[in-house]
mmCIF file with all atom_site columns, all heavy atoms in Angstrom:
data_model
loop_
_atom_site.group_PDB
_atom_site.id
_atom_site.type_symbol
_atom_site.label_atom_id
_atom_site.label_alt_id
_atom_site.label_comp_id
_atom_site.label_asym_id
_atom_site.label_entity_id
_atom_site.label_seq_id
_atom_site.pdbx_PDB_ins_code
_atom_site.Cartn_x
_atom_site.Cartn_y
_atom_site.Cartn_z
_atom_site.occupancy
_atom_site.B_iso_or_equiv
_atom_site.pdbx_formal_charge
_atom_site.auth_seq_id
_atom_site.auth_comp_id
_atom_site.auth_asym_id
_atom_site.auth_atom_id
_atom_site.pdbx_PDB_model_num
ATOM 1  N N   . ALA A 1 253 ? 19.381 -24.052 24.707 1.00 0.00 ? 253 ALA A N   1
ATOM 2  C CA  . ALA A 1 253 ? 19.584 -23.256 25.931 1.00 0.00 ? 253 ALA A CA  1
ATOM 3  C C   . ALA A 1 253 ? 19.596 -24.154 27.176 1.00 0.00 ? 253 ALA A C   1
ATOM 4  O O   . ALA A 1 253 ? 19.035 -25.259 27.145 1.00 0.00 ? 253 ALA A O   1
ATOM 5  C CB  . ALA A 1 253 ? 18.471 -22.235 26.057 1.00 0.00 ? 253 ALA A CB  1
ATOM 6  N N   . ASP A 1 254 ? 20.225 -23.641 28.216 1.00 0.00 ? 254 ASP A N   1
ATOM 7  C CA  . ASP A 1 254 ? 20.148 -24.322 29.512 1.00 0.00 ? 254 ASP A CA  1
ATOM 8  C C   . ASP A 1 254 ? 18.727 -24.184 30.038 1.00 0.00 ? 254 ASP A C   1
ATOM 9  O O   . ASP A 1 254 ? 18.094 -23.153 29.840 1.00 0.00 ? 254 ASP A O   1
ATOM 10 C CB  . ASP A 1 254 ? 21.108 -23.717 30.515 1.00 0.00 ? 254 ASP A CB  1
ATOM 11 C CG  . ASP A 1 254 ? 22.574 -23.979 30.136 1.00 0.00 ? 254 ASP A CG  1
ATOM 12 O OD1 . ASP A 1 254 ? 22.808 -24.820 29.260 1.00 0.00 ? 254 ASP A OD1 1
ATOM 13 O OD2 . ASP A 1 254 ? 23.434 -23.323 30.736 1.00 0.00 ? 254 ASP A OD2 1
ATOM 14 N N   . ILE A 1 255 ? 18.280 -25.195 30.765 1.00 0.00 ? 255 ILE A N   1
ATOM 15 C CA  . ILE A 1 255 ? 16.960 -25.122 31.378 1.00 0.00 ? 255 ILE A CA  1
ATOM 16 C C   . ILE A 1 255 ? 17.134 -25.314 32.892 1.00 0.00 ? 255 ILE A C   1
ATOM 17 O O   . ILE A 1 255 ? 17.880 -26.190 33.318 1.00 0.00 ? 255 ILE A O   1
ATOM 18 C CB  . ILE A 1 255 ? 16.006 -26.198 30.841 1.00 0.00 ? 255 ILE A CB  1
ATOM 19 C CG1 . ILE A 1 255 ? 15.697 -25.899 29.357 1.00 0.00 ? 255 ILE A CG1 1
ATOM 20 C CG2 . ILE A 1 255 ? 14.716 -26.266 31.631 1.00 0.00 ? 255 ILE A CG2 1
ATOM 21 C CD1 . ILE A 1 255 ? 14.628 -26.800 28.764 1.00 0.00 ? 255 ILE A CD1 1
ATOM 22 N N   . GLY A 1 256 ? 16.410 -24.504 33.657 1.00 0.00 ? 256 GLY A N   1
ATOM 23 C CA  . GLY A 1 256 ? 16.385 -24.643 35.105 1.00 0.00 ? 256 GLY A CA  1
ATOM 24 C C   . GLY A 1 256 ? 17.337 -23.728 35.822 1.00 0.00 ? 256 GLY A C   1
ATOM 25 O O   . GLY A 1 256 ? 18.335 -23.294 35.252 1.00 0.00 ? 256 GLY A O   1
ATOM 26 N N   . ASP A 1 258 ? 19.293 -24.511 38.077 1.00 0.00 ? 258 ASP A N   1
ATOM 27 C CA  . ASP A 1 258 ? 20.578 -25.199 38.277 1.00 0.00 ? 258 ASP A CA  1
ATOM 28 C C   . ASP A 1 258 ? 21.295 -25.506 36.966 1.00 0.00 ? 258 ASP A C   1
ATOM 29 O O   . ASP A 1 258 ? 22.368 -26.098 36.964 1.00 0.00 ? 258 ASP A O   1
ATOM 30 C CB  . ASP A 1 258 ? 20.335 -26.485 39.067 1.00 0.00 ? 258 ASP A CB  1
ATOM 31 C CG  . ASP A 1 258 ? 19.296 -27.389 38.414 1.00 0.00 ? 258 ASP A CG  1
ATOM 32 O OD1 . ASP A 1 258 ? 19.006 -27.216 37.217 1.00 0.00 ? 258 ASP A OD1 1
ATOM 33 O OD2 . ASP A 1 258 ? 18.749 -28.278 39.102 1.00 0.00 ? 258 ASP A OD2 1
ATOM 34 N N   . ARG A 1 259 ? 20.654 -25.158 35.821 1.00 0.00 ? 259 ARG A N   1
ATOM 35 C CA  . ARG A 1 259 ? 21.244 -25.399 34.492 1.00 0.00 ? 259 ARG A CA  1
ATOM 36 C C   . ARG A 1 259 ? 21.569 -26.891 34.262 1.00 0.00 ? 259 ARG A C   1
ATOM 37 O O   . ARG A 1 259 ? 22.515 -27.210 33.551 1.00 0.00 ? 259 ARG A O   1
ATOM 38 C CB  . ARG A 1 259 ? 22.504 -24.551 34.283 1.00 0.00 ? 259 ARG A CB  1
ATOM 39 C CG  . ARG A 1 259 ? 22.234 -23.068 34.306 1.00 0.00 ? 259 ARG A CG  1
ATOM 40 C CD  . ARG A 1 259 ? 23.517 -22.262 34.120 1.00 0.00 ? 259 ARG A CD  1
ATOM 41 N NE  . ARG A 1 259 ? 23.187 -20.843 34.083 1.00 0.00 ? 259 ARG A NE  1
ATOM 42 C CZ  . ARG A 1 259 ? 22.940 -20.176 32.967 1.00 0.00 ? 259 ARG A CZ  1
ATOM 43 N NH1 . ARG A 1 259 ? 22.990 -20.753 31.783 1.00 0.00 ? 259 ARG A NH1 1
ATOM 44 N NH2 . ARG A 1 259 ? 22.642 -18.884 33.016 1.00 0.00 ? 259 ARG A NH2 1
ATOM 45 N N   . GLY A 1 260 ? 20.768 -27.733 34.838 1.00 0.00 ? 260 GLY A N   1
ATOM 46 C CA  . GLY A 1 260 ? 21.049 -29.164 34.708 1.00 0.00 ? 260 GLY A CA  1
ATOM 47 C C   . GLY A 1 260 ? 20.552 -29.777 33.415 1.00 0.00 ? 260 GLY A C   1
ATOM 48 O O   . GLY A 1 260 ? 20.940 -30.879 33.048 1.00 0.00 ? 260 GLY A O   1
ATOM 49 N N   . LEU A 1 261 ? 19.698 -29.025 32.682 1.00 0.00 ? 261 LEU A N   1
ATOM 50 C CA  . LEU A 1 261 ? 19.062 -29.580 31.480 1.00 0.00 ? 261 LEU A CA  1
ATOM 51 C C   . LEU A 1 261 ? 19.397 -28.753 30.251 1.00 0.00 ? 261 LEU A C   1
ATOM 52 O O   . LEU A 1 261 ? 19.736 -27.569 30.375 1.00 0.00 ? 261 LEU A O   1
ATOM 53 C CB  . LEU A 1 261 ? 17.526 -29.593 31.655 1.00 0.00 ? 261 LEU A CB  1
ATOM 54 C CG  . LEU A 1 261 ? 16.972 -30.277 32.919 1.00 0.00 ? 261 LEU A CG  1
ATOM 55 C CD1 . LEU A 1 261 ? 15.492 -29.892 33.103 1.00 0.00 ? 261 LEU A CD1 1
ATOM 56 C CD2 . LEU A 1 261 ? 17.121 -31.772 32.833 1.00 0.00 ? 261 LEU A CD2 1
ATOM 57 N N   . GLY A 1 263 ? 17.608 -27.594 26.650 1.00 0.00 ? 263 GLY A N   1
ATOM 58 C CA  . GLY A 1 263 ? 16.416 -27.551 25.797 1.00 0.00 ? 263 GLY A CA  1
ATOM 59 C C   . GLY A 1 263 ? 16.839 -27.205 24.398 1.00 0.00 ? 263 GLY A C   1
ATOM 60 O O   . GLY A 1 263 ? 17.752 -26.358 24.217 1.00 0.00 ? 263 GLY A O   1
ATOM 61 N N   . PHE A 1 443 ? 11.008 -28.307 20.916 1.00 0.00 ? 443 PHE A N   1
ATOM 62 C CA  . PHE A 1 443 ? 11.934 -27.975 21.988 1.00 0.00 ? 443 PHE A CA  1
ATOM 63 C C   . PHE A 1 443 ? 12.040 -29.194 22.922 1.00 0.00 ? 443 PHE A C   1
ATOM 64 O O   . PHE A 1 443 ? 11.292 -29.314 23.889 1.00 0.00 ? 443 PHE A O   1
ATOM 65 C CB  . PHE A 1 443 ? 11.473 -26.740 22.734 1.00 0.00 ? 443 PHE A CB  1
ATOM 66 C CG  . PHE A 1 443 ? 12.511 -26.008 23.525 1.00 0.00 ? 443 PHE A CG  1
ATOM 67 C CD1 . PHE A 1 443 ? 13.551 -25.348 22.898 1.00 0.00 ? 443 PHE A CD1 1
ATOM 68 C CD2 . PHE A 1 443 ? 12.451 -25.972 24.916 1.00 0.00 ? 443 PHE A CD2 1
ATOM 69 C CE1 . PHE A 1 443 ? 14.529 -24.670 23.618 1.00 0.00 ? 443 PHE A CE1 1
ATOM 70 C CE2 . PHE A 1 443 ? 13.408 -25.287 25.665 1.00 0.00 ? 443 PHE A CE2 1
ATOM 71 C CZ  . PHE A 1 443 ? 14.449 -24.634 25.012 1.00 0.00 ? 443 PHE A CZ  1
ATOM 72 N N   . ILE A 1 445 ? 13.969 -31.886 25.577 1.00 0.00 ? 445 ILE A N   1
ATOM 73 C CA  . ILE A 1 445 ? 14.741 -31.652 26.806 1.00 0.00 ? 445 ILE A CA  1
ATOM 74 C C   . ILE A 1 445 ? 15.546 -32.892 27.198 1.00 0.00 ? 445 ILE A C   1
ATOM 75 O O   . ILE A 1 445 ? 15.005 -33.995 27.227 1.00 0.00 ? 445 ILE A O   1
ATOM 76 C CB  . ILE A 1 445 ? 13.773 -31.250 27.959 1.00 0.00 ? 445 ILE A CB  1
ATOM 77 C CG1 . ILE A 1 445 ? 13.086 -29.935 27.613 1.00 0.00 ? 445 ILE A CG1 1
ATOM 78 C CG2 . ILE A 1 445 ? 14.534 -31.109 29.282 1.00 0.00 ? 445 ILE A CG2 1
ATOM 79 C CD1 . ILE A 1 445 ? 11.772 -29.740 28.333 1.00 0.00 ? 445 ILE A CD1 1
#
Side-chain angles (χ1 to χ4, degrees):
D254 291 348
I255 293 187
D258 55 19
R259 297 180 178 268
L261 307 166
F443 200 68
I445 297 157

